[in-house]
Amino acid sequence: MASRRRVGVTVQPRADWHVFDPLLIRWRLDSSERSAQLLSLSELRRGFEPVAASLAAERATAEQCAALASAASDLVVHGRSGDLEAYLEADVVFHRTLLAASGNEMLRSLAGVVSEILAGRTHHGLMPSSPNPQAIALHDAVARTVRDRDPAAAEAAMREIIDEAAAAMRAELDG
């Protein structure tokens, strides 16, 4: 959309949309384009979050390592209790912290995109009522490998998280 004085708001051609805008992502997740949007976002995550995990293993501060471990622990607690809103909050903290810990401002700026993906999955019934214990364990593995300064293992564990989430969403969308 564009807004101009005395003209009002006009919808811009799709090619001109700022597709990384969290509000646009939320709007598209609320539309009939949900499946296509989730697929596109999953593919995007696969491209940058494993890299962010690798960089975080090289650059994370002690405080960021502690925040990752705490968020991973919260995922265990909320996953067991089935409190999906609290689980979502912990998941958002985990991924925001990881992107910030990469030390790359471009990756850090994608935190809003990831937050909308996670929220969209939860709020559109694409998250199982009991989160997958394997996914929770993988978050712990990322936190541990970042703390242990193992970039290759952090990248591999994050890639597994993204692959598991994409597979789970496909199963929910197809089911």
Side-chain angles (χ1 to χ4, degrees), residues 6 12 32 38-39 56 83 94 96 105 113 140 144 160:
R6 295 190 184 158
Q12 297 296 303
S32 61
L38 286 168
L39 174 63
D83 184 345
F94 182 91
R96 280 187 179 278
E105 66 186 1
V113 172
D140 184 62
R144 189 173 11 83
E160 285 188 64

Side-chain angles (χ1 to χ4, degrees), residues 52-172:
S54 176
L55 291 171
E58 296 172 359
R59 301 173 177 170
T61 65
E63 292 80 16
Q64 289 167 328
C65 289
L68 286 171
S70 177
S73 178
D74 288 346
L75 289 173
V76 171
V77 170
H78 301 308
R80 284 186 186 145
S81 74
D83 184 345
L84 292 184
E85 284 301 319
Y87 185 92
L88 171 61
E89 287 179 37
D91 207 12
V92 167
V93 167
F94 182 91
H95 290 275
R96 280 187 179 278
T97 302
L98 182 76
L99 291 168
S102 75
N104 181 298
E105 66 186 1
M106 297 293 181
L107 292 171
R108 184 183 66 242
S109 74
L110 293 169
V113 172
V114 174
S115 295
E116 286 302 324
I117 297 167
L118 299 172
R121 183 176 177 208
T122 299
H123 296 145
H124 291 289
L126 301 173
M127 184 74 179
S129 57
S130 292
N132 183 344
Q134 177 194 9
I136 296 170
L138 287 168
H139 282 77
D140 184 62
V142 170
R144 189 173 11 83
T145 55
V146 166
R147 183 196 64 224
D148 291 346
R149 305 290 183 208
D150 188 341
E155 182 174 342
M158 181 53 70
R159 190 166 312 283
E160 285 188 64
I161 289 173
I162 303 301
D163 289 347
E164 184 280 330
M169 276 194 297
R170 273 193 304 277
E172 290 291 328

Side-chain angles (χ1 to χ4, degrees), residues 4-80:
R4 289 192 343 208
R5 184 179 262 209
R6 295 190 184 158
V7 174
V9 176
T10 57
V11 176
Q12 297 296 303
R14 186 179 287 258
D16 293 339
W17 289 2
H18 177 60
V19 295
F20 292 117
D21 183 324
L23 291 175
L24 180 60
I25 292 169
R26 186 176 311 142
W27 174 75
R28 291 179 73 189
L29 288 174
D30 286 338
S31 76
S32 61
E33 297 182 11
R34 179 178 304 132
S35 295
Q37 179 69 31
L38 286 168
L39 174 63
S40 181
L41 291 167
S42 291
E43 291 170 350
L44 175 68
R45 281 183 76 190
R46 196 165 200 282
F48 72 84
E49 279 199 280
V51 171
S54 176
L55 291 171
E58 296 172 359
R59 301 173 177 170
T61 65
E63 292 80 16
Q64 289 167 328
C65 289
L68 286 171
S70 177
S73 178
D74 288 346
L75 289 173
V76 171
V77 170
H78 301 308
R80 284 186 186 145

